[in-house]
Amino acid sequence: MARSERAQWAQLHIDGVTLLADLAAGASLARVLEFAGPQLRCFGAPAASSKPLEIGDFSGRVERGASCNCSVLTLTPHANGTHTEAVGHLTAERVDVQGLIPRRLLTTVLLSIEPELAGDSDEGSAPTPRATDLLITRQAIERAWPPAPAARLNARAAVIRTLPNEPDKFVEQRAAAAPFLSREAAGWLVAHGIEHLVLDVPSADRSSDGGELTAHRIFFGLPRGSSALADAQRPGSTITELAYVPAALADGWYFLSLQSPAIAGDAVPSRPVLYPLRTA
């Protein structure tokens, strides 16, 4: 983790424990969306684009004689980069995720998981995974879960880094073979009070699953087949996908700040930031 020359420790009291957060040593988990060169293009979505705004004689580019640069950006948050979504991703009612993203620091665990072939696992999903599908399993999460720095401290969020940790592993067509959560893994996270989940994969579910979205539904508490917001038992939860966790970050406990632009929608580009955490 890159650190400033002087730490800036902020003191917080959470779960009856006094904790310190180094606000000068934040590490971004957001992938930079480059408009030139290889891009994330999941689920068959087109590449994101950046074009100059052209109105009358205004060219939108200083190099073309304009007074300033001005661009029109086109992107699909779900498919082109790090984004955060909520239950509105699955409901008929509109739910703007930017209004649900917490404005506070969240106690968070970071863990690295080696996905398991579905054919070698007794965990599953709906539809039944193919033997060659890669699962993020409950058993792997349990094994990797780091011990808490204080007995009473509970995690509100979890960041899962899949191995191997390669920044370009989901570029273009490679996203279709990405690992996803088993139903048991999603249920375990819910049972352990995780309200905000950050993943480095394109989706918590298989990229093509017939619309089941099993892990999403478990995490948001939305029954199978329902698209009604009133049926959701965890409407304040969020899932962040397509993050990237730098290799320099060790597994353990952190504070998480979920940052997003003030843009309405069921999913918005986002910038998760991890800060070092220690007990006072």
Side-chain angles (χ1 to χ4, degrees):
M1 174 183 294
R3 287 181 175 270
S4 63
E5 294 183 1
R6 179 176 297 179
Q8 297 178 7
W9 293 99
Q11 184 170 286
L12 299 92
H13 301 280
I14 299 175
D15 294 336
V17 181
T18 300
L19 301 170
L20 299 175
D22 186 357
L23 301 183
S28 174
L29 308 185
R31 295 173 180 269
V32 177
L33 177 55
E34 296 285 0
F35 293 98
Q39 280 190 21
L40 293 170
R41 294 178 61 182
C42 305
F43 318 120
S49 65
S50 175
K51 299 179 180 180
L53 175 66
E54 297 181 357
I55 302 176
D57 295 332
F58 181 73
S59 65
R61 288 289 184 270
V62 172
E63 64 186 21
R64 299 180 187 175
S67 58
C68 61
N69 293 309
C70 186
S71 300
V72 177
L73 307 182
T74 303
L75 60 97
T76 305
H78 285 290
N80 294 138
T82 306
H83 61 278
T84 298
E85 61 194 31
V87 69
H89 184 35
L90 306 180
T91 60
E93 298 91 342
R94 173 175 166 171
V95 179
D96 293 328
V97 67
Q98 64 89 22
L100 298 177
I101 292 176
R103 302 296 187 257
R104 65 187 185 281
L105 294 177
L106 303 168
T107 48
T108 303
V109 291
L110 165 61
L111 54 154
S112 298
I113 297 294
E114 185 168 354
E116 184 176 348
L117 284 171
D120 296 334
S121 176
D122 60 0
E123 299 183 29
S125 187
T128 302
R130 300 178 290 255
T132 55
D133 284 340
L134 290 170
L135 296 180
I136 301 168
T137 65
R138 172 189 58 79
Q139 292 182 358
I141 291 174
E142 286 184 317
R143 288 193 300 266
W145 199 265
R152 291 175 292 178
L153 189 63
N154 296 302
R156 267 55 174 191
V159 178
I160 296 179
R161 167 172 50 196
T162 57
L163 302 175
N165 189 37
E166 302 169 349
D168 63 348
K169 61 185 175 182
F170 301 131
V171 172
E172 311 252 337
Q173 294 85 358
R174 298 177 67 185
F180 55 93
L181 291 173
S182 70
R183 64 159 64 89
E184 291 83 0
W188 191 94
L189 292 166
V190 169
H192 285 75
I194 300 303
E195 299 168 351
H196 304 280
L197 179 61
V198 178
L199 303 170
D200 67 355
V201 294
S203 176
D205 287 292
R206 193 170 73 193
S207 61
S208 178
D209 69 350
E212 292 281 353
L213 293 163
T214 301
H216 283 81
R217 290 184 175 279
I218 291 172
F219 197 76
F220 296 137
L222 189 66
R224 182 179 184 182
S226 174
S227 60
L229 179 60
D231 291 340
Q233 299 175 8
R234 288 163 46 89
S237 300
T238 69
I239 298 176
T240 299
E241 298 164 334
L242 285 173
Y244 176 70
V245 184
L249 294 182
D251 288 8
W253 284 69
Y254 294 84
F255 280 112
L256 170 68
S257 173
L258 274 178
Q259 303 172 5
S260 71
I263 298 175
D266 68 282
V268 296
S270 61
R271 184 172 181 257
V273 178
L274 287 182
Y275 295 95
L277 173 156
R278 75 181 190 193
T279 53

